[in-house]
């Protein structure tokens, strides 16, 4: 049944009628919604009144939010502490360090008081702008309100953050709140619509049909004026041309408004934008607030045109609240303090300048800030805010939401399936979405497909031409052994450095999406690695198919396929090892720095530079992790195990010449019966390295929670 909604009510959307006609029965149905949000359906014979459950409407960006769904966000006694920077020049003595380690109750490091007893309220239908100078604590406050404080930052246990007077935790707030951070993090190769489709499939509930999710994407694109750039790649500033700064910022809003959250927190939404684009972004937020949403955002020195859009402002200075109220009340407040805003002067600039720490005037500025903050703390505006935020205690004492008179105050609706806590999509949906997005990134990145295959073909042609047309004599044996080991080194270094930056480059995007509960770590890792698997099968195929006939290796389809299989395993082992380095490294530069030194020991244990019987006992365990050892033995067994006596020509009698393939294998201390073990060990190393990479990625995500 398709429902077309047309509003016929007044501005507050208290009553509206929607008409539908079912395709199967052609029966006319009327649906209405009263103030209490109860959907009723009246059949055409008007004999039965059916009360129906309706899922969450995702079209309320255009319509008013029902009264019972609106949110008022309050916070009280919010104290935030950060670790004080340590003096690097001051070194503790060894005795003090030992005493600290043996102490049962260790003293915590001294902390800096970032926010000091901050209390505030954000009401439904209003734009609350948090302003202040750089370092005043704006982003720290927003992170605390969103339960997104970074590691090392501690919040006082006395702090209370409540929705409609009911205290909430991080999971409960995340299910009802959207947080648009200052940095716009996207996958550059995706288009705007592909990004929103990915977000919609993971953000919207499991019970929402796929067609409804796609329709919601089209609605959001239209609501935020992104239709014209829906099929343009997002790009990366300074590297890949794509969306403009304003379009990227609106796309960030679009990602968060897909689920129609009623509480929106934005950190510097106008950062890096010109005045026109900043005004367009604020107009989008203003339109959302007029529909009944609660919006809190930080902004640094807005223009006077933007200042007129604010419903309420929160001035922060030195971690304290300097003012909270309407722009009109702010003018009265500062006038009463004897520091009125001059005529024809931007009030936002004036307030920020009054609350900033000027160089060479630190003492005077701090005294002025203290005077303003102390004056506001005893003002009627502060008492009104404190009374609203303190209503949490009375609500909690009266038994929660059931003790509230819903005619006088809003109450917190219970979570439904759409707004459920935790992951909103199933494991298979997460895996499919990650696989789809990663595959699009591989196809759209020429460095991963065209250039890689062309590079492989060129290197294979070069190696084939150098070792071209080898014959079975004592020189050819040495050349063939060297070419086979070169197969392994080329596949290793080519694939390790091809993926060593995969997870490091996408780590900020992954951590943000993981913290938003879009997907699990295992689904991201599996989808990302499986999407690149076809490329790491195609590269060994191209390389082996060119070099094998040019060098003149062992004839026969079975020998060729065996070589191809071993080289493919080596390519995937080295890829898995590259994943491990990428996930364990904190940055791309670190991954590139530690990669070669770690690979070199495994290269030495391959049996070409050091005989496998000559490995020192204290390095024996390390040689078991060398894929060069197993792959080199497997390739040489495939090449020489069927070569009998007399097949190798020995034209020079004064030089030791192997008479058969068995002698060649004995020289390297390789045995033909180890072929199956070598293949099994290569497969085991693939699993071991990938499990290690997954574990490192899981640790990285846990450290950022």
């Amino acid at each position: 049944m398709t429902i077309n909604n047309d509003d016929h009510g007044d501005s507050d959307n208290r009553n509206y009628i929607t008409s539908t006609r079912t395709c199967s029965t052609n029966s006319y149905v009327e649906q209405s919604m009263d103030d209490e949000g109860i959907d009723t359906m009246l059949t055409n014979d008007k004999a039965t009144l059916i009360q129906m459950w309706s899922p969450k409407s995702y079209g309320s960006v255009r319509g008013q939010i029902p009264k019972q769904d609106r949110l008022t966000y309050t916070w009280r006694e919010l104290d935030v502490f950060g670790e004080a920077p340590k003096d690097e020049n001051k070194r503790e003595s060894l005795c003090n360090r030992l005493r600290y380690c043996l102490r049962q109750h260790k003293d915590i490091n001294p902390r800096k008081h970032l926010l000091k007893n901050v209390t505030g309220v954000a009401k439904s239908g209003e734009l609350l702008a948090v302003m202040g100078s750089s370092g005043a604590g704006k982003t720290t406050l927003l992170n605390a309100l969103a339960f997104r404080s970074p590691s090392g930052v501690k919040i006082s246990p006395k702090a209370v953050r409540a929705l409609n007077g009911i205290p909430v935790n991080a999971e409960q707030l995340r299910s009802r709140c959207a947080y648009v951070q200052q940095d716009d993090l996207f996958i550059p190769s995706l288009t705007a619509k592909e990004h929103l489709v990915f977000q919609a499939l993971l953000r919207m509930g499991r019970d929402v049909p796929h067609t409804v999710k796609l329709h919601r994407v089209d609605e959001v694109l239209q609501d935020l004026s992104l239709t014209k750039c829906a099929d343009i790649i997002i790009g990366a500033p300074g590297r890949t041309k794509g969306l403009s700064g304003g379009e990227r910022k609106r796309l960030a809003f679009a990602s968060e408004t897909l689920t129609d959250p009623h509480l929106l927190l934005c950190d510097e939404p106008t950062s890096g934008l010109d005045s026109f684009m900043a005004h367009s972004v604020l107009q989008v937020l203003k339109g959302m607030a007029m529909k009944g949403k609660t919006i809190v955002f930080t902004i640094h020195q807005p223009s006077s045109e933007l200042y007129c859009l604010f419903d309420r402002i929160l001035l922060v200075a030195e971690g304290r609240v300097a003012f909270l109220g309407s722009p009109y009340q702010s003018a009265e407040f500062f006038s009463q303090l004897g520091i009125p805003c001059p005529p024809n002067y931007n009030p936002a600039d004036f307030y920020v300048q009054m609350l900033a720490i000027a160089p060479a005037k630190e003492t005077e500025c701090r005294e002025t800030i203290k005077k303003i903050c102390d004056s506001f703390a005893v003002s009627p505006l502060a008492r009104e805010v404190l009374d609203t935020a303190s209503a949490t205690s009375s609500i909690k004492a009266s038994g929660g939401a059931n003790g509230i008179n819903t005619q006088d105050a809003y109450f917190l609706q219970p979570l439904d399936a759409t707004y459920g806590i935790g992951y909103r999509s199933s494991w298979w949906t997460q895996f499919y979405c990650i696989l789809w997005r990663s595959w699009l990134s591989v196809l759209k990145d020429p460095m991963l497909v065209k250039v890689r295959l062309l590079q492989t073909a060129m290197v294979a042609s070069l190696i084939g031409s150098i070792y071209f047309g080898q014959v079975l004599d004592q020189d050819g044996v040495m050349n063939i052994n060297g070419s086979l080991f070169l197969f392994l080194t080329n596949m290793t270094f080519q694939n390790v450095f091809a993926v060593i930056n995969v997870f490091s480059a996408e780590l900020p995007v992954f951590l943000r999406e993981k913290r938003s509960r879009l997907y699990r770590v295992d689904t991201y890792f599996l989808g990302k690695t499986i999407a690149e698997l076809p490329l790491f099968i195609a590269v060994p195929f191209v390389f082996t198919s060119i070099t094998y006939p040019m060098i003149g290796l062992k004839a026969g389809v079975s020998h060729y396929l065996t070589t191809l299989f071993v080289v493919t395993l080596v390519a995937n082992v080295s890829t898995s090892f590259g994943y491990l380095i990428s996930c364990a490294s904190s940055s791309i530069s670190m991954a590139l720095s530690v990669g070669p030194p770690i690979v070199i020991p495994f290269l030495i244990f391959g049996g070409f530079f050091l005989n496998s019987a000559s490995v020192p006992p204290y390095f024996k365990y390390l040689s078991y992790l060398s894929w060069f050892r197993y792959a080199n033995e497997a390739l040489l067994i495939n090449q020489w195990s069927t070569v009998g006596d007399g097949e190798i020509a020995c034209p020079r009698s004064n030089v030791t010449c192997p008479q058969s393939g068995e002698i060649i294998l004995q020289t390297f201390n390789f045995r033909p019966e180890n072929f199956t073990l070598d293949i099994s060990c290569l497969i085991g190393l693939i699993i071991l390295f990938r499990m290690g990479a997954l574990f490192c990625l899981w640790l990285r995500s846990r450290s950022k929670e």
Side-chain angles (χ1 to χ4, degrees), residues 116-160:
K116 306 168 185 176
N117 195 22
V118 176
T119 300
V121 56
K123 298 181 180 180
S124 172
E126 295 182 348
L127 277 180
L128 175 60
V130 182
M131 295 190 300
S133 61
S134 298
K138 302 186 299 295
T139 301
T140 303
L141 173 60
L142 206 65
N143 288 335
L145 296 182
F147 291 87
R148 299 284 186 95
S149 298
S151 57
V153 176
K154 302 298 181 181
I155 299 179
S156 172
K158 298 187 300 181
V160 178

Side-chain angles (χ1 to χ4, degrees), residues 7 59-64 216 218-220 222-223 291:
D7 293 349
S60 61
V61 171
R62 298 180 181 178
Q64 290 284 340
R216 175 62 179 165
D218 295 332
E219 282 186 346
V220 171
Q222 184 177 358
D223 292 335
K291 308 303 179 183

Side-chain angles (χ1 to χ4, degrees), residues 382-679:
R383 287 195 295 270
E384 180 182 353
V385 171
L386 183 60
D387 292 340
T388 304
S390 301
T392 304
S393 303
S394 59
I395 292 175
K396 187 175 181 180
S398 60
N402 296 329
I404 307 175
N405 185 3
T406 57
Q407 295 180 354
D408 298 331
Y410 307 131
F411 63 97
L412 196 61
Q413 294 286 345
L415 292 176
D416 55 19
T418 304
Y419 260 177
I421 296 176
Y423 298 101
R424 300 168 186 169
S425 57
S426 63
W427 190 94
W428 286 108
T429 301
Q430 298 174 25
F431 173 73
Y432 165 77
C433 292
I434 294 294
L435 183 64
W436 172 71
R437 185 178 72 173
S438 302
W439 181 243
L440 286 178
S441 300
V442 171
L443 293 179
K444 293 182 179 182
D445 193 347
M447 293 297 294
L448 291 178
V449 183
K450 298 178 182 179
V451 175
R452 285 288 308 280
L453 294 178
L454 180 61
Q455 175 191 7
T456 301
M458 293 177 60
V459 173
S461 300
L462 178 62
I463 295 176
S465 60
I466 293 175
Y467 292 95
F468 184 78
Q470 297 296 320
V471 295
L472 291 183
D473 56 12
Q474 51 192 356
D475 295 332
V477 168
M478 184 180 67
N479 294 337
I480 289 175
N481 291 340
S483 65
L484 290 177
F485 196 79
L486 195 59
F487 281 20
L488 308 181
T489 57
N490 179 71
M491 283 294 102
T492 295
F493 286 100
Q494 182 179 356
N495 291 289
V496 165
F497 288 101
V499 302
I500 204 169
N501 64 338
V502 168
F503 291 100
S504 299
E506 287 191 10
L507 187 62
V509 178
F510 162 73
L511 292 177
R512 179 172 295 184
E513 293 177 342
K514 170 64 174 59
R515 199 165 188 180
S516 298
R517 296 296 189 270
L518 293 188
Y519 45 74
R520 298 172 174 84
V521 179
D522 54 344
T523 55
Y524 173 77
F525 184 82
L526 290 176
K528 189 70 179 174
T529 55
I530 293 178
E532 297 179 348
L533 182 61
L535 182 62
F536 298 115
I537 295 177
V539 168
F541 174 77
V542 172
F543 182 85
T544 307
S545 299
I546 295 176
T547 55
Y548 197 92
M550 292 183 67
I551 297 175
L553 299 177
K554 186 67 175 179
V557 177
S558 61
H559 291 283
Y560 162 74
L561 293 178
T562 302
T563 302
L564 176 60
F565 180 63
V566 173
V567 173
T568 303
L569 287 179
V570 171
N572 283 274
V573 172
S574 56
T575 300
S576 304
F577 189 73
Y579 288 149
L580 176 59
I581 297 177
S582 180
C583 294
S585 303
S586 59
S587 62
I588 298 177
S589 59
M590 177 178 288
L592 294 174
S593 300
V594 303
I598 297 178
V599 174
I600 294 301
F602 296 125
L603 178 68
I604 296 176
F605 296 137
F608 187 79
F609 300 104
L610 179 68
N611 195 282
S612 58
S614 302
V615 178
Y618 44 84
F619 280 127
K620 200 72 175 179
Y621 71 95
L622 192 59
S623 66
Y624 294 143
L625 297 177
S626 173
W627 59 92
F628 292 95
R629 169 186 175 180
Y630 304 117
N632 191 29
E633 184 175 17
L635 289 179
L636 293 182
I637 291 173
N638 178 63
Q639 176 67 26
W640 304 116
S641 62
T642 57
V643 177
D645 294 337
E647 294 187 30
I648 301 176
C650 297
R652 298 190 298 273
S653 59
N654 59 343
V655 179
T656 302
C657 178
Q659 298 292 328
S660 64
E662 183 180 356
I663 297 177
I664 298 175
L665 295 177
Q666 290 177 357
T667 304
F668 287 94
N669 282 291
F670 292 157
R671 293 182 297 176
E673 56 269 19
N674 289 341
F675 182 81
T676 304
L677 178 63
D678 294 333
I679 299 299

Side-chain angles (χ1 to χ4, degrees), residues 14-15 33-39 66-69 406-407 411 413:
R14 293 189 176 182
N15 296 286
M33 178 180 287
D34 56 6
D35 287 342
E36 299 301 325
I38 300 176
D39 292 347
K67 182 178 180 181
Q68 75 278 1
D69 289 337
T406 57
Q407 295 180 354
F411 63 97
Q413 294 286 345

Side-chain angles (χ1 to χ4, degrees), residues 244-286:
S244 64
E247 290 170 341
R248 290 172 62 90
K249 188 64 67 175
R250 280 180 286 162
L251 183 61
F253 290 139
S255 304
E256 300 293 342
T257 57
L258 282 169
T259 55
D260 193 22
H262 297 164
L263 174 61
L264 186 63
L265 305 178
C266 307
D267 187 15
E268 297 282 356
T270 60
S271 177
L273 303 180
D274 54 42
S275 58
F276 174 78
M277 296 307 301
H279 186 268
S280 65
V281 171
L282 261 295
Q283 285 285 5
V284 171
L285 293 180
K286 185 67 174 180

